[in-house]
């Protein structure tokens, strides 16, 4: 009888250790996923800011400013003052390349 009780207790202990380990692994994976999501969000925000800087900086070549504007407006679907500047750059480009 004592052996059966010890066997049941050892099985329950093993199960509790396994369950605790699985829960810890799950929490670790969720924490990593949240960190990756936050990092990706920040990366996208920084990419948009870099595109804005390229579009708005007059020292940059016109072709690079227009290429950044294409991505900003047509791929990321952003709007506002930067889009207006992009449209102005397109007009400047058309004026320069009339023939």
């Amino acid at each position: 009888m004592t052996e059966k009780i010890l066997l049941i207790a050892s099985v329950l202990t093993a199960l509790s250790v396994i369950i605790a380990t699985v829960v810890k692994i799950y929490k670790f994976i969720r924490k990593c996923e949240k960190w990756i999501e936050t990092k990706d969000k920040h990366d996208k925000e920084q990419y948009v800011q870099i595109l804005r800087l390229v579009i708005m900086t007059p020292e940059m070549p016109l072709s690079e400013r227009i290429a950044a504007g294409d991505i900003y407006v047509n791929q990321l679907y952003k709007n506002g003052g930067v889009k207006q500047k992009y449209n102005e750059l397109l007009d400047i480009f058309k004026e320069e390349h009339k023939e």
Side-chain angles (χ1 to χ4, degrees):
M1 184 72 159
T2 307
E3 291 177 13
K4 288 184 180 180
I5 293 173
L6 289 175
L7 178 65
I8 292 172
S10 63
V11 169
L12 290 176
T13 303
L15 284 175
S16 65
V17 168
I18 292 170
I19 290 172
T21 304
V22 169
V23 168
K24 284 185 179 184
I25 291 171
Y26 174 78
K27 285 182 180 181
F28 176 76
I29 291 172
R30 284 298 302 148
K31 185 178 178 181
C32 289
E33 286 177 345
K34 287 181 183 180
W35 179 80
I36 290 170
E37 289 171 1
T38 303
K39 188 187 80 54
D40 289 344
K41 179 184 171 194
H42 291 171
D43 287 348
K44 185 176 180 181
E45 289 172 358
Q46 286 181 342
Y47 182 60
V48 170
Q49 293 297 329
I50 290 169
L51 289 174
R52 282 187 190 137
L53 285 172
V54 170
I55 295 166
M56 300 303 282
T57 303
E59 290 83 17
M60 295 293 289
L62 185 60
S63 60
E64 289 185 30
R65 295 172 75 190
I66 290 175
D70 286 337
I71 295 170
Y72 187 86
V73 172
N74 299 325
Q75 292 179 11
L76 299 177
Y77 305 107
K78 298 294 181 179
N79 214 343
V82 178
K83 182 178 179 181
Q84 181 65 33
K85 184 65 174 180
Y86 167 68
N87 289 331
E88 290 174 14
L89 294 173
L90 288 176
D91 293 339
I92 293 169
F93 184 79
K94 288 177 186 174
E95 289 295 321
E96 288 181 358
H97 292 86
K98 275 186 180 178
E99 291 186 22

